[in-house]
Amino acid sequence: MSFKIHLGIPEMKEKWDELKKKSKEGTLTKTEADLYSKWGKTMAKISADPFYNGLETHDIEALSKRYGMKVWQSYLENKTSKARRIYWVYGPNKNDITIIGLEPHPEDKKNGAYDRITLSAMGEE
């Protein structure tokens, strides 16, 4: 089964569209190219199998309690300082996954990553 991926927070869709446009134009910086590549690969893996071993997908209890639905975290990258994570939920439809956040690894309490994760109107693109 594959899932349709939605970018549920407007800023994420805007950032993805900006990276995609710059990629087509050949104007990505090295940092942007790295993010675009990793983000694209991670969304493809989540679409094919949200529990693909390398994603290390697991639920985030604090966010699940806050929103009354399971909120999942998957690795965008690992073994690097402030490795980024993708946060997502199932929905709005049966075979949909909505990405609700892309943040640095939240283990640093000063970082406040979980506080920045917010649900938006799911499925709007």
Side-chain angles (χ1 to χ4, degrees), residues 56-123:
E56 299 288 337
T57 298
H58 57 282
D59 70 312
I60 301 298
E61 189 175 328
L63 294 175
S64 296
K65 282 183 181 178
R66 184 187 314 162
Y67 295 113
M69 62 175 30
K70 285 271 191 186
V71 176
W72 303 92
Q73 172 184 286
S74 298
Y75 285 21
L76 182 75
E77 55 196 350
N78 196 14
K79 298 179 184 174
T80 183
S81 175
K82 295 188 180 183
R84 291 168 286 203
R85 304 293 189 247
I86 282 184
Y87 298 88
W88 56 272
V89 295
Y90 286 106
N93 298 309
K94 183 178 178 184
N95 292 331
D96 292 348
I97 286 177
T98 300
I99 308 293
I100 62 167
L102 173 63
E103 297 288 342
H105 194 279
E107 299 307 319
D108 180 358
K109 299 293 183 197
K110 294 179 279 184
N111 215 353
Y114 292 156
D115 294 337
R116 291 191 302 269
I117 306 300
T118 58
L119 292 177
S120 65
M122 289 181 16

Side-chain angles (χ1 to χ4, degrees), residues 3 33 46 62 110:
F3 293 87
I46 289 172
K110 294 179 279 184

